Amino acid sequence: MPGFELFGSAEQKEVHDVLDSGILMRYGFDAMRNGHWKAKELETELQKQMQVKHAQLVSSGTAAVSVALAIAGVGAGDEVILPTFTFVASFEAVLMLGAIPILVDIDDTLTLDIEAVKNAITTKTKAIMPVHMCGGMARLKELKQICETYGLKLIEDACQAIGGSYEGKPLGSYGDVGCFSFDFVKTITTGEGGAVITNNDDYATWADHYSDHGHDHQGSDRGAETHPFLGYNFRISELHAAVGLAQVRRLNDFIAIQKKHYTILKEALNSIPELTFRTIPEAGEENYSFINFFLPDLEITNSAMSALKTAGIDGCFHYYNNNWHYVREWNHLKEAKTLFPMPSQTKEALRALETKTFEQSDYFIARNISCLIKLSWTEDEVKLRASKMVEAIKSVL
Ligand SMILES: *Cc1c(COP(=O)(O)O)cnc(C)c1O
């Protein structure tokens, strides 16, 4: 799954361009940079590949989600609907803006349940943020309809699903804003980095300014630039962007390899009648970075995880007991533990999570196993892995 598996000479060449010129910053220093604008080039490449008008690189996926929410106007007291199964970054970004994360149940897509989303809408709701977990996607058509009905923004956290699509559109390009992460374990990596994509011209301008202290980027004298509004520093460096430039050019190849490996595993697992696969909404195509399936109950799933481990199968996750991805173990969130005072309405909303249960999410996550797909496997290795997985799982049924 991660691009670092196939890291090589293409990445090195791009980084050397930057080191040779000595200009590590993405803005300015025009005369000294030998024509190298890696961040700008990567943004252009992303626009092309993601079929959108604008792409803004930032320093991480978490920064991307924060910037996406900010340009969509999400702030103090606003509610953002997001799933119980995600990565901690999703609610961190909401909290950073003084907004309130509203966690709702997932369904067999491992993403937002449509009825749960509808039930969570209040007069304070500002945005819905589906998170396309483990390479699959949310029911985007239904979510877009809800957003249109209620006047909400649709912000796609596509950090785990770059290269997937929905109704023929790249994931991330379907809503008002889309977010990607290029951290070290994502499909494409820059070491650390992320991107925001949109077709909205205003959003693009605001993302550009907001991620660089509010700088308007007019003229060639950085010191003379004005600040139309307050911003932060979420800039990416040229070194990181250089790595990403080489990686993104190989995205289609990465996805093709993943699909090949995924297909071998899926065909093998299909021979287990008690096993069902995660639902991919109609019109969706995943990026094949994980293979996700359900077993009959929690006990069998726990046993299957042990059996897989004993068989030497690494890279399989049971998120039910995971500290990073599922609401059950997010005690720091439920107890609203912060280093500094938090808005009281946010704190109240978080404390309410301590007593809230998510039975429907538990029903799916307790029975789900998610196994990552590596790029570096040989075909024989995938076939051997497939047969070992089937044997291990059958042994506990
Ligand atoms: C990785 C990830 C992020 C955050 O990305 P970083 O680059 O690590 O900050 C956000 N959302 C999801 C779903 C992720 O998997």
Side-chain angles (χ1 to χ4, degrees):
M1 171 193 132
F4 75 71
E5 290 182 77
L6 299 182
F7 192 93
S9 57
E11 285 77 9
Q12 285 170 6
K13 187 216 158 271
E14 297 298 333
V15 172
H16 277 140
D17 284 350
V18 177
L19 291 174
D20 288 345
S21 76
I23 304 303
L24 311 186
M25 175 148 170
R26 66 157 301 177
Y27 297 113
F29 303 93
D30 300 23
M32 295 160 68
R33 55 196 313 141
N34 297 340
H36 294 311
W37 297 91
K38 300 300 180 187
K40 278 193 208 304
E41 263 189 82
L42 176 50
E43 284 167 353
T44 306
E45 191 67 37
L46 280 170
Q47 285 160 15
K48 206 169 75 194
Q49 289 203 29
M50 299 303 137
Q51 300 164 31
V52 284
K53 279 168 77 182
H54 309 285
Q56 175 71 45
L57 286 171
V58 289
S59 50
S60 70
T62 311
V65 183
S66 307
V67 170
L69 290 164
I71 60 179
V74 174
D78 290 335
E79 293 180 353
V80 179
I81 294 176
L82 60 148
T84 52
F85 177 49
T86 176
F87 177 55
V88 290
S90 311
F91 60 72
E92 287 168 355
V94 174
L95 292 173
M96 198 197 83
L97 294 156
I100 304 172
I102 301 295
L103 300 177
V104 308
D105 270 323
I106 57 155
D107 64 13
D108 57 356
T109 61
L110 295 178
T111 65
L112 290 172
D113 176 76
I114 299 302
E115 283 312 305
V117 169
K118 284 185 189 161
N119 292 337
I121 291 172
T122 72
T123 52
K124 290 199 271 178
T125 310
K126 190 77 171 262
I128 299 177
M129 185 159 72
V131 184
H132 304 314
M133 286 299 280
C134 309
M137 75 294 301
R139 301 180 193 275
L140 283 169
K141 186 173 147 199
E142 288 86 345
L143 291 174
K144 194 173 222 172
Q145 271 164 5
I146 296 173
C147 285
E148 277 162 11
T149 306
Y150 293 93
L152 309 174
K153 304 296 179 201
L154 183 60
I155 298 171
E156 291 177 72
D157 180 340
C159 288
Q160 291 195 10
I162 192 166
S165 66
Y166 184 84
E167 290 178 357
K169 294 188 172 77
L171 292 176
S173 73
Y174 193 88
D176 295 290
V177 196
C179 310
F180 298 120
S181 162
F182 304 129
D183 79 22
F184 196 52
V185 294
K186 296 301 203 290
T187 306
I188 293 292
T189 185
T190 59
E192 299 284 359
V196 174
I197 60 169
T198 184
N199 283 308
N200 181 313
D201 298 338
D202 284 336
Y203 283 7
T205 305
W206 298 338
D208 169 85
H209 297 7
Y210 183 73
S211 59
D212 185 20
H213 304 293
H215 271 276
D216 67 9
H217 297 146
Q218 297 294 317
S220 56
D221 178 0
R222 197 167 158 82
E225 289 176 15
T226 65
H227 304 94
F229 51 79
L230 294 167
Y232 281 100
N233 176 7
F234 294 125
R235 290 190 308 261
I236 195 164
S237 82
E238 280 289 275
L239 284 171
H240 292 88
V243 175
L245 192 54
Q247 289 259 300
V248 82
R249 288 180 179 140
R250 304 205 286 169
L251 177 61
N252 290 338
D253 294 342
F254 289 179
I255 302 296
I257 297 169
Q258 287 180 173
K259 184 173 183 177
K260 194 172 123 203
H261 295 172
Y262 172 106
T263 307
I264 294 170
L265 293 172
K266 186 161 183 177
E267 274 170 15
L269 293 170
N270 232 343
S271 67
I272 308 174
E274 295 89 342
L275 180 151
T276 54
F277 292 99
R278 171 249 197 104
T279 298
I280 295 297
E282 221 184 289
E285 176 158 20
E286 47 192 318
N287 83 346
Y288 308 101
S289 52
F290 286 85
I291 185 155
N292 300 278
F293 52 87
F294 301 106
L295 293 174
D297 59 36
L298 175 60
E299 208 186 319
I300 292 173
T301 310
N302 279 330
S303 310
M305 282 298 289
S306 306
L308 286 167
K309 207 171 163 195
T310 309
I313 302 295
D314 57 356
C316 288
F317 303 96
H318 184 207
Y319 292 111
Y320 191 65
N321 300 315
N322 179 288
N323 291 342
W324 290 70
H325 291 286
Y326 188 52
V327 65
R328 237 167 63 89
E329 301 288 345
W330 292 338
N331 295 321
H332 64 321
L333 178 72
K334 297 177 199 174
E335 291 164 20
K337 284 194 175 158
T338 49
L339 289 176
F340 46 82
M342 168 183 263
S344 56
Q345 51 192 348
T346 309
K347 196 162 195 162
E348 270 167 46
L350 295 185
R351 295 309 295 257
L353 281 173
E354 276 193 300
T355 50
K356 202 165 157 52
T357 55
F358 293 96
E359 277 125 35
Q360 185 178 312
S361 301
D362 284 345
Y363 174 72
F364 291 107
I365 293 294
R367 299 181 302 116
N368 170 248
I369 293 179
S370 184
C371 300
L372 61 79
I373 307 285
K374 283 202 180 156
L375 295 165
S376 52
W377 289 328
T378 64
E379 197 168 323
D380 285 344
E381 281 170 339
V382 188
K383 285 182 177 156
L384 182 62
R385 184 180 172 91
S387 63
K388 279 188 180 173
M389 282 178 74
V390 170
E391 200 182 320
I393 295 167
K394 278 191 173 162
S395 77
V396 302
L397 288 167

